[in-house]
Amino acid sequence: MDRTGTSAATDPRRPSDHIGAEQPDTDIAQPKLGPMGWLRWGWRQLTSMRVALILLLALAIAAIPGSIFPQRGADPNGVVQYRQNNPELFPILDGLSLFDVYSSPWFSAIYLLLFISLIGCVLPRIKHHAKALRTQPPRTPARLSRLDDHRSVQRETTDPETEAPAAIDVAEKQLKSLGYRVARYDRGNTWSVSAERGYWRETGNLIFHIALVGVLITVGIGSGYAYTGQKVVIEGSSYVNTLIDYNSIDRGRLVADDAFNPYAITLDSFDVTYEDFGQPGAGQAGNFAANVSVQHTDGSTSDGKIQVNHPLHVEGDSVYLLGNGYAPTITVRNAEGVAVLSQPVEFLPQDSAMTSLGVVKITDGMPEQLGMIGFLYPTVVELDSGAYASAHGALNLPLLTLDVYQGDLGIDGGRPVSVFELDTDGLDKLNGRGTDVASIELQPGETADLPNGLGTVTFEDASPADANGTLESVKRYVSLQIHHDASAVWVLVFSMLALGGLGLALFVPRRRMWVKATASDSDSIHLEYAGLARGEDPTLAAAVDDLVRGHERLLDGTAPQRGTSVKGA
């Protein structure tokens, strides 16, 4: 109550919604969006540039595990090794698809959302940009002096009504020669030209986003037709580019069984050099080169060389050199003297001195299946502990040691088993550490008896070493990766377009220029110059100054200016 006894809430001199008035207790009624409303809201959020940037960042973060963990498509042996080293952690990581990152559901979801978001961002901008390109430059502002980058010049003349439009004609030609789009706006005793340029900036921005969409589409479709396979090839042997001839392969969903060009590659020789004793890095390998012969599908042949980071390109495939090693020729005979195995066996290098581990599996011809775990020491030395090691990668003094196991090797169970692994659980160890029988030790040409009178094993005799010090019977092998991706060229094209568009978007300034001439009542004309940038443009002031100087030279050469006032210089 006030002093007059009138309630503040009912005072007719106050509005009904003033502070302190008694308001009805009503809830705010908001319209319900409904299903279509929520869909429109979600589409606007998804197609906003902010969400597109968030998805692009999320895609970059989601790709990080692909460089931390080995991927089945690129390094299947690394996945197997990780499983052996981390048997408890591996199932958890595999359940999260961390060994197949780029084909995982969560990576594909981010990929598809980014794809939709970019398209939703780009299409309206293309429409708006196309409309802007057809639009005339805006009218000349009435007060150019309000712009920061403004210059004015007073020029004396005997005929202002003639000189003023002529000056704008000159300015119009000058701006056109500088790449501006121009439009004339004349009114009364004022003549002006409006100019703008820099639409290449937005064009470049759109090219960048369109190219990015092109990369996403190309990668998405191209991965369905791409394949990457691995093959181990021993000197003198060949492989045919067919599905069944690969040791392992990761192929896209759209690659059919007969989609491979059946060319053949033969490994003629493998060249490798090692640093000599006494040199820095002694025993370290230098250059690698696999010399191959290629028989093409049309029946023609050609020679090629595969080196590290220098693949061989054959009929749309790229053949890479991943690794190499020794393949000693081992012959095993049973107690009756019948050869049950006689072939080169690939040994995996374990260190830089080419100490190599290999597995020999004999499934038939013996009373029970036999497995052997062997070590090959190219240049053997005996350590103080009595163990062997290799001092050099070349075959200067090779030694082969073998431990023999007997029992079920697990090959007949239908489960795929690596040729480089031997599961010793459930097998009987016949010699080596932990038994009363010493490990078998063989140099080239030597034969030793197998334990329990099972037969003999021979490290096949070697001919004299060649010029590189390599014994002929100890063959080399190479691990090749064959990659096919027809979309790689298009990815390169779209990537170059993206870089070009990004360059335009970053370095092309978007600006507007105006030149106005006003005929004075006295014998003079008043010229005004102004510029306006869209975004940051530190060179705008200099561009306006250049426009003023260039216009003056075109009007009357290098005559000095009189009565000049400058604002925002």
Side-chain angles (χ1 to χ4, degrees), residues 63-321:
I64 293 177
S67 60
I68 297 177
F69 300 99
Q71 301 297 295
R72 284 191 173 91
D75 187 13
N77 292 330
V79 176
V80 174
Q81 188 65 39
Y82 194 94
R83 182 176 183 176
Q84 292 178 345
N85 297 338
N86 305 274
E88 297 180 356
L89 183 61
F90 181 84
I92 300 175
L93 299 180
D94 195 27
L96 297 174
S97 301
L98 294 183
F99 301 103
D100 300 280
V101 168
Y102 306 112
S103 59
S104 63
W106 48 271
F107 189 86
S108 300
I110 299 174
Y111 177 95
L112 291 175
L113 286 175
L114 176 61
F115 175 73
I116 296 172
S117 179
L118 286 175
I119 292 179
C121 290
V122 168
L123 290 180
R125 290 177 62 181
I126 291 176
K127 181 180 178 181
H128 181 270
H129 186 56
K131 182 179 179 181
L133 289 175
R134 298 191 301 268
T135 305
Q136 289 289 338
R139 298 184 67 87
T140 305
R143 299 179 181 179
L144 289 176
S145 58
R146 289 185 174 182
L147 300 178
D148 290 336
D149 291 293
H150 172 259
R151 313 288 185 270
S152 63
V153 176
Q154 196 76 19
R155 294 181 60 84
E156 296 180 358
T157 181
T158 58
D159 188 1
E161 296 293 334
T162 303
E163 292 292 335
I168 297 304
D169 291 339
V170 173
E172 183 177 2
K173 294 179 181 179
Q174 178 187 2
L175 290 168
K176 283 183 177 179
S177 66
L178 293 175
Y180 287 87
R181 296 191 310 152
V182 299
R184 286 290 294 268
Y185 297 102
D186 302 337
R187 184 176 181 181
N189 66 337
T190 300
W191 294 263
S192 67
V193 59
S194 177
E196 64 179 353
R197 75 173 185 183
Y199 277 94
W200 275 108
R201 184 186 187 93
E202 179 64 13
T203 302
N205 205 332
L206 291 174
I207 290 174
F208 170 76
H209 287 89
I210 292 172
L212 189 58
V213 173
V215 170
L216 293 176
I217 294 175
T218 304
V219 172
I221 296 177
S223 61
Y225 292 94
Y227 60 83
T228 300
Q230 291 77 33
K231 178 64 179 178
V232 174
V233 185
I234 301 174
E235 280 182 317
S237 62
S238 305
Y239 87 93
V240 180
N241 186 44
T242 57
L243 181 62
I244 61 174
D245 213 11
Y246 282 101
N247 297 123
S248 63
I249 188 170
D250 179 49
R251 54 175 174 161
R253 297 179 179 86
L254 304 177
V255 178
D257 294 347
D258 57 351
F260 304 86
N261 292 325
Y263 60 83
I265 292 182
T266 301
L267 178 61
D268 298 324
S269 62
F270 182 77
D271 299 332
V272 58
T273 58
Y274 294 96
E275 296 294 332
D276 294 332
F277 289 105
Q279 299 294 328
Q284 300 292 324
N287 296 323
F288 304 95
N291 303 304
V292 299
S293 300
V294 182
Q295 183 174 356
H296 299 273
T297 54
D298 59 2
S300 62
T301 59
S302 63
D303 296 330
K305 180 179 290 187
I306 310 174
Q307 296 176 288
V308 178
N309 297 326
H310 292 83
L312 177 67
H313 300 285
V314 183
E315 300 190 16
D317 293 353
S318 297
V319 184
Y320 296 87
L321 177 63

Side-chain angles (χ1 to χ4, degrees), residues 140-141 143-153 175 180 193 195 509-516 527-548 565-569:
T140 305
R143 299 179 181 179
L144 289 176
S145 58
R146 289 185 174 182
L147 300 178
D148 290 336
D149 291 293
H150 172 259
R151 313 288 185 270
S152 63
V153 176
L175 290 168
Y180 287 87
V193 59
R510 177 83 180 273
R511 60 171 65 131
R512 289 170 178 169
M513 291 287 190
W514 293 278
V515 181
K516 181 193 290 186
L527 294 175
E528 291 183 86
Y529 307 85
L532 180 65
R534 183 173 181 178
E536 295 293 332
D537 188 357
T539 63
L540 180 62
V544 175
D545 291 335
D546 290 340
L547 178 64
V548 174
S565 63
V566 178
K567 176 185 177 183

